[in-house]
Amino acid sequence: MSTDKSTSTQLSDEELQDLVASTDTGGRNPSNEMIIKLLAAVALSWSIFQVWIASPIPFVLGWGVFSSDEARKVHLAFAVFLAFLAYPAFKHSPRRHIPLGDWGMAIIGSLCAFYPFIADSMLVDSIFGTRLSDRPSNPNQFDIVVSVIGMLLLLEATRRALGPPLMVVAIVFLCYTFFGPFAPELIAWKGSTFGGTMDHQWLFGEGVFGIALGVSTDLVFLFVLFGALLDRAGAGNYFIKVAFSLMGHFRGGPAKAAVVASGMTGLISGSSIANVVTTGTFTIPMMKRVGFNAEKAGAVEVASSVNGQIMPPVMGAAAFLMVEYVNIPYFEVVKHAFLPAVISYIALVYIVHLEAMKLDMQGLKKPGESKALKYVGSSWVMSLLLVLALGSGLYYASEVYQLLETSTARLAGILAIIAVQYVVVKAVKSSGGSELTQKVVSTGAMVLGNTIIGAFGLFFLIDIVQATFGETYTPWVMAVLILVTYVVLARISSSYPDLVMDDPNAPVQSLPETGPTVKAGLHFLLPVVVLIWCLMIERLSPGLSAFYATILMIFILLTQRHLFAFFRKEDTSSKLKEGFMELVDGMIAGARNMIGIGIATAAAGIIVGAVSQTGVGLKLAALVEFLSMGHIILILVWTAILSLILGMGLPTTANYIVVSSLLAPVIVSLGQQNGLIVPLIAVHMFVFYFGIMADVTPPVGLASFAAAAVSGGDPIRTGFVAFFYSLRTALLPFLFIFNTDLLLMDVSFGGGILIFIIATAAMLIFTAGTQGYFFARSKIWESAALILIAFTLFRPGFWMDYVIPPYQERQGTELVQAMGEVPAGTEMRILVDGQNDVGDPVSLTMLMTVGNGEDGQTRIEDYGLELLLQDDGSIMVDGVGFDSPAEKAGFDFDQIIVSVGVPAERPAKQLFYIPAVVLLFLIIMIQRRRRNAVSSTQQTA
């Protein structure tokens, strides 16, 4: 009975594609050939325009250069035009033709978006003798009319492309802008005139055309286009096949493959819903086939797809917004986001493993001879030891004999290491037999070790090229080397059959072979490597990095079919044409994928504009402070709840813009008032994580509805299971607020590795505690103990703070004396009383880093503070140096220094790992004994 019901609610492949279209690219599919060509031409023009403005060509030619402000207007004009033509007005509106009203709204909406560009041009100035920038904050009647029409049409485009939630939130904030004086006293403000609001929101760069739309224009489009081209080339299917070949033979293999495939797809995807449907179409039926029910299969796909939005380098396009909002380099954003995302994915794989253990699932059959389990560990150790021994031997030989002083010698050393490995492995395989090969050779370990060594080799190669050809010719030489590498990889890939798209509903007898599957698409990895190298190693801007990767992807799409046919000795006559058509399709798909994101960032700009115009952020902070009664944990909990509510139904980009502009300042200001100093990036990561959790959380979890449509399960139940699976994602933000080591802040390379190991172990233990299964089914006290152990590993300082307080509190009058006594570099905690922006009394906590001055007074002055002794004996801040450390820390005139916290001498907080590990081993022993007893009873029976 349940099977029939499940089948009846499961959507067909055509309906699934319509679901993705209706949420991502537009659900309208006109039957008129001319209109289809027009829509395609507009989308293609948009992609060409974006590639043009990202390239250095306009600057070389001195023609076609657009400023960021000008490009935003063109960007939104394209998005609005396509939104009205691609998205029907209502569910029952025509899909096969475009009504006349939609044509009118598309044209008028795009002209309104284009108006600030035209009205501020030299042409208008020459005709009318004035331009828009000549009347700042003083719009004329025509400016206001255009702005009102533009705002209304943008809101309607938002409703069509993204549904009502974002439109409703934007309207609420607009209403608040106008009717602020009539709002409740807690959130009331003076209000704004109609002209003032339109000027702020539409005509200048504070609202719709603000930072959010700028990031969409300058960065996001190129990354989305890169992902669309990569997918059109066949990389999406390649990632799925590789994931299945690697993970499918484990317990619950299809579910583990779903996690890996969604992680790889999430690297280039900006939509959790598209991620669910793209990978879920294949993974969910396979998960059901090995024993997962419809809800659990859908929930695993939802959890892994939503996690794709927290995975660098794209992070659903939020990474680029963080660069602007937090004002730190892109490399730093990726570094801080990397560890929590990887830990979260590892924990999700472990959740799948525990579910498979509970149900005693088996993996799918692996082709060829499988390596015995007892040899897996030994072969990894032996292979890595070989790589490390060769690398270390070469390093120490270099140190002793100074053999590798030049980059050429170092590169030769790298090549020698790889050659020696090749010879050794060949010798083992030829003389040792299959058993010895299984014992000592691990392909995975060899690939991992040589990838790291190869990265060093690439460093040395680039150094040689730069030394030989100079800065002028190095880019051209590197381009030639990349093309040669592409041809070589294409030659290798062409030796294997093309990876065809499987029917997900067909029975799976065996998995694809790992080696041939990986090698069949090696050339797809090259543009990804170029992108990551430019971003992380060369530290180029995200826009320029995406441009180079996109240009390489364009070249690959044009030539891959021709090259494959050439190497396979097949007919090549029509292959370039096929490649060109695939390129055009990819460019069009990239533009259509951007419609929703472009509209979302513009509509979210209305909210950001309202926040900057009304100061509602301070009001929201007061509301959270009232609800939390000043408790730190309650502040974070209420902020998390508000992030979930505000994020419901919003795409990732709009989601981040809304929650970061409204709620990030709340944690910063209230935390400072209650003794919690949090780095800004940690705050933004906190609200971002909970914002994207809205995609999972019922009743509006859109990703859960998409997964249920694939699985045929109940969407609400799928959402609850997915939320339960995502508890580890909900835990991480609380942890890195209190322990910023998880964000790799101010940690060494070795320290980062140690943090990764401990944090991963802690997350796996937490997962086992919440899943009720570790080595056997857990009793309630065991689950509680596992969660306690995980908490201790994550934050040992919590217990140490109770044993020995972290600071020795001294009177505020002793600040100068305390500054003179502590060593330079010490971080002291200062509590001050002052006033907030509206004159209300407030207590603030500052962290003061002690400088290198000779005495306390010198150090105070170097810090940028002038202190004044009051008649009552208290110390008042009498002056703050401009752009000084004191100003950046938050010190201000007339604040009273209440107390000074000097760091206390205490043992290492890691001592609390000892009782946690002892308790963990005790639970392991108990559970293993219980598991063995159960299995012996079953064997006896």
Side-chain angles (χ1 to χ4, degrees), residues 121 560 809 822 892 926:
S121 65
Q560 68 169 351
E809 297 297 334
V822 298
D892 206 349
I926 293 171

Side-chain angles (χ1 to χ4, degrees), residues 700-719:
V700 193
L702 297 181
S704 299
F705 278 85
V710 180
S711 69
D714 178 77
I716 300 297
R717 201 175 304 146
T718 300

Side-chain angles (χ1 to χ4, degrees), residues 503-584:
D503 179 359
N505 297 308
V508 178
Q509 303 299 333
S510 64
L511 294 166
E513 281 192 73
T514 303
T517 303
V518 172
K519 293 172 185 174
L522 283 176
H523 61 297
F524 294 137
L525 301 178
L526 185 60
V528 178
V529 170
V530 168
L531 175 64
I532 294 173
W533 185 273
C534 290
L535 285 171
M536 310 303 293
I537 308 301
E538 297 296 330
R539 305 285 182 93
L540 301 180
S541 69
L544 194 57
S545 302
F547 170 74
Y548 288 141
T550 302
I551 292 299
L552 178 57
M553 237 3 276
I554 289 171
F555 184 79
I556 289 174
L557 264 171
L558 282 172
T559 60
Q560 68 169 351
R561 288 191 176 276
H562 185 89
L563 277 175
F564 274 46
F566 174 77
F567 288 129
R568 291 169 179 169
K569 296 182 169 52
E570 298 172 352
D571 181 29
T572 61
S573 56
S574 62
K575 298 302 181 182
L576 284 176
K577 183 179 179 182
E578 286 181 35
F580 179 76
M581 295 311 298
E582 286 179 344
L583 171 61
V584 171

